Coordinates of all heavy atoms in Angstrom, one line a residue:
I571 N -175.8 31.6 -58.0 CA -174.4 32.0 -58.5 C -174.5 33.1 -59.6 O -173.8 34.1 -59.4 CB -173.7 30.8 -59.1 CG1 -173.4 29.7 -58.1 CG2 -172.4 31.2 -59.7 CD1 -172.8 28.4 -58.5
K574 N -175.3 36.3 -57.9 CA -174.1 36.8 -57.2 C -173.2 37.6 -58.1 O -172.7 38.6 -57.8 CB -173.4 35.7 -56.4 CG -172.1 36.1 -55.7 CD -172.3 37.2 -54.7 CE -173.1 36.8 -53.5 NZ -173.3 37.9 -52.6
W575 N -172.9 37.0 -59.3 CA -172.0 37.7 -60.2 C -172.5 39.0 -60.7 O -171.8 40.0 -60.7 CB -171.7 36.8 -61.4 CG -170.9 35.6 -61.2 CD1 -171.1 34.3 -61.3 CD2 -169.5 35.7 -60.6 NE1 -170.0 33.5 -61.0 CE2 -169.0 34.4 -60.5 CE3 -168.7 36.7 -60.2 CZ2 -167.7 34.0 -60.1 CZ3 -167.4 36.4 -59.8 CH2 -167.0 35.1 -59.7
N588 N -165.4 40.6 -52.7 CA -165.3 39.8 -51.4 C -165.0 38.3 -51.8 O -165.9 37.6 -52.2 CB -166.5 39.9 -50.5 CG -166.2 39.3 -49.2 OD1 -165.9 38.1 -49.0 ND2 -166.3 40.1 -48.1
M589 N -163.8 37.8 -51.6 CA -163.4 36.5 -52.0 C -164.2 35.5 -51.2 O -164.7 34.4 -51.8 CB -161.9 36.3 -51.8 CG -161.0 37.2 -52.7 SD -161.2 37.0 -54.5 CE -162.3 38.3 -54.9
G590 N -164.3 35.7 -49.9 CA -165.0 34.7 -49.1 C -166.5 34.6 -49.4 O -167.1 33.5 -49.4
N591 N -167.1 35.7 -49.7 CA -168.5 35.7 -50.1 C -168.7 35.0 -51.4 O -169.7 34.3 -51.6 CB -169.0 37.2 -50.1 CG -170.5 37.3 -50.3 OD1 -171.0 37.6 -51.4 ND2 -171.2 37.0 -49.3
L592 N -167.8 35.3 -52.4 CA -167.9 34.6 -53.7 C -167.8 33.1 -53.5 O -168.6 32.3 -54.0 CB -166.8 35.1 -54.6 CG -167.0 36.4 -55.3 CD1 -165.8 36.8 -56.1 CD2 -168.2 36.3 -56.3
V593 N -166.8 32.7 -52.8 CA -166.5 31.2 -52.6 C -167.8 30.6 -51.8 O -168.2 29.5 -52.2 CB -165.3 31.0 -51.8 CG1 -165.1 29.5 -51.4 CG2 -164.1 31.3 -52.7
H594 N -168.3 31.3 -50.8 CA -169.5 30.8 -50.1 C -170.6 30.5 -51.1 O -171.2 29.5 -51.0 CB -169.9 31.7 -49.0 CG -171.2 31.4 -48.4 ND1 -171.3 30.4 -47.5 CD2 -172.4 31.9 -48.5 CE1 -172.6 30.2 -47.1 NE2 -173.2 31.2 -47.7
T595 N -170.9 31.5 -52.0 CA -172.0 31.4 -52.9 C -171.7 30.2 -53.9 O -172.7 29.4 -54.2 CB -172.2 32.6 -53.7 OG1 -172.4 33.7 -52.8 CG2 -173.4 32.5 -54.7
L596 N -170.5 30.1 -54.3 CA -170.2 29.0 -55.3 C -170.3 27.6 -54.6 O -170.6 26.6 -55.4 CB -168.7 29.2 -55.8 CG -168.6 30.4 -56.8 CD1 -167.1 30.7 -56.9 CD2 -169.1 30.0 -58.1
T597 N -170.1 27.5 -53.4 CA -170.0 26.2 -52.7 C -171.2 26.0 -51.8 O -171.3 24.8 -51.2 CB -168.7 26.1 -51.8 OG1 -168.6 27.1 -50.9 CG2 -167.5 26.2 -52.7
N598 N -172.1 26.9 -51.7 CA -173.3 26.8 -50.8 C -174.3 25.9 -51.3 O -175.3 26.3 -52.0 CB -173.8 28.1 -50.4 CG -175.0 28.1 -49.4 OD1 -175.1 27.1 -48.6 ND2 -175.8 29.1 -49.4
R599 N -174.2 24.5 -51.2 CA -175.2 23.6 -51.7 C -175.3 22.5 -50.7 O -174.3 22.2 -49.9 CB -174.9 23.1 -53.1 CG -173.5 22.7 -53.3 CD -173.2 22.4 -54.8 NE -171.9 21.9 -55.1 CZ -170.8 22.6 -55.4 NH1 -170.9 24.0 -55.3 NH2 -169.6 22.1 -55.6
I660 N -163.9 29.7 -62.6 CA -164.2 29.5 -61.2 C -165.5 28.9 -60.9 O -165.8 28.1 -60.1 CB -163.9 30.7 -60.3 CG1 -163.7 30.3 -58.9 CG2 -165.0 31.7 -60.4 CD1 -163.2 31.4 -57.9
L664 N -165.9 25.2 -59.3 CA -166.3 25.2 -57.9 C -167.8 25.3 -57.7 O -168.3 25.1 -56.6 CB -165.6 26.4 -57.3 CG -165.4 26.4 -55.8 CD1 -164.6 25.1 -55.4 CD2 -164.6 27.6 -55.3
G665 N -168.5 25.6 -58.8 CA -170.0 26.0 -58.6 C -170.9 24.8 -58.6 O -172.1 25.0 -58.5
Y749 N -161.4 21.1 -52.1 CA -160.9 21.8 -50.8 C -160.5 23.2 -51.2 O -159.6 23.3 -52.0 CB -159.8 21.0 -50.2 CG -159.4 21.5 -48.8 CD1 -160.1 21.1 -47.6 CD2 -158.5 22.6 -48.6 CE1 -159.8 21.5 -46.4 CE2 -158.2 23.1 -47.4 CZ -158.9 22.6 -46.3 OH -158.5 23.1 -45.0
V750 N -161.1 24.2 -50.5 CA -160.7 25.6 -50.8 C -159.7 25.9 -49.6 O -160.0 25.9 -48.5 CB -161.9 26.5 -50.6 CG1 -161.4 27.9 -50.9 CG2 -163.0 26.2 -51.7
S751 N -158.5 26.1 -50.1 CA -157.4 26.3 -49.0 C -157.2 27.8 -48.8 O -156.5 28.1 -47.8 CB -156.1 25.6 -49.5 OG -155.7 26.2 -50.8
R752 N -157.6 28.7 -49.7 CA -157.2 30.1 -49.5 C -158.3 31.0 -50.1 O -158.8 30.8 -51.2 CB -155.9 30.4 -50.1 CG -155.5 31.9 -50.0 CD -154.0 32.1 -50.3 NE -153.2 31.6 -49.2 CZ -152.4 32.3 -48.4 NH1 -152.3 33.6 -48.6 NH2 -151.7 31.8 -47.5
K753 N -158.8 31.9 -49.2 CA -159.6 33.0 -49.7 C -159.1 34.3 -49.1 O -159.5 34.7 -47.9 CB -161.1 32.8 -49.2 CG -161.7 31.5 -49.6 CD -163.0 31.1 -48.9 CE -162.7 30.7 -47.4 NZ -163.9 30.2 -46.8
D754 N -158.2 34.9 -49.7 CA -157.5 36.1 -49.2 C -158.0 37.4 -49.6 O -157.9 37.7 -50.8 CB -156.0 35.9 -49.6 CG -155.1 36.8 -48.8 OD1 -155.3 38.1 -48.7 OD2 -154.1 36.3 -48.2
E755 N -158.6 38.1 -48.7 CA -159.3 39.4 -49.2 C -158.2 40.4 -49.5 O -158.5 41.3 -50.4 CB -160.2 39.9 -47.9 CG -161.2 38.9 -47.5 CD -162.2 38.6 -48.6 OE1 -162.3 39.3 -49.5 OE2 -162.8 37.5 -48.5
M759 N -157.0 36.7 -53.7 CA -156.6 35.4 -54.1 C -157.6 34.3 -53.7 O -158.1 34.3 -52.5 CB -155.2 35.0 -53.6 CG -154.1 35.8 -54.3 SD -153.8 35.4 -56.0 CE -153.2 33.7 -55.8
V760 N -157.9 33.4 -54.6 CA -158.6 32.1 -54.3 C -157.8 31.0 -54.7 O -157.4 30.9 -55.9 CB -160.0 32.2 -54.9 CG1 -160.7 30.8 -54.6 CG2 -160.9 33.3 -54.4
V761 N -157.6 30.0 -53.9 CA -156.9 28.8 -54.2 C -157.7 27.6 -53.7 O -158.1 27.6 -52.6 CB -155.4 28.7 -53.6 CG1 -154.7 27.4 -54.0 CG2 -154.7 30.0 -53.9
F762 N -157.8 26.6 -54.6 CA -158.6 25.4 -54.2 C -158.2 24.2 -55.1 O -157.5 24.4 -56.1 CB -160.1 25.6 -54.3 CG -160.6 25.9 -55.7 CD1 -161.0 24.9 -56.6 CD2 -160.7 27.2 -56.2 CE1 -161.5 25.2 -57.8 CE2 -161.2 27.6 -57.4 CZ -161.6 26.5 -58.3
F773 N -157.7 37.7 -58.4 CA -158.7 38.7 -58.8 C -158.2 40.1 -58.6 O -158.9 41.1 -58.9 CB -160.0 38.5 -58.1 CG -160.8 37.4 -58.6 CD1 -160.8 36.1 -58.1 CD2 -161.7 37.6 -59.8 CE1 -161.5 35.1 -58.5 CE2 -162.4 36.5 -60.2 CZ -162.4 35.3 -59.6

Side-chain angles (χ1 to χ4, degrees):
I571 296 174
K574 175 57 66 176
W575 286 123
N588 187 300
M589 299 296 103
N591 188 256
L592 280 175
V593 170
H594 171 75
T595 303
L596 288 164
T597 57
N598 183 24
R599 49 189 182 272
I660 199 172
L664 205 55
Y749 190 88
V750 181
S751 59
R752 177 163 290 244
K753 301 168 287 186
D754 195 306
E755 301 302 336
M759 290 286 297
V760 176
V761 180
F762 61 90
F773 282 97

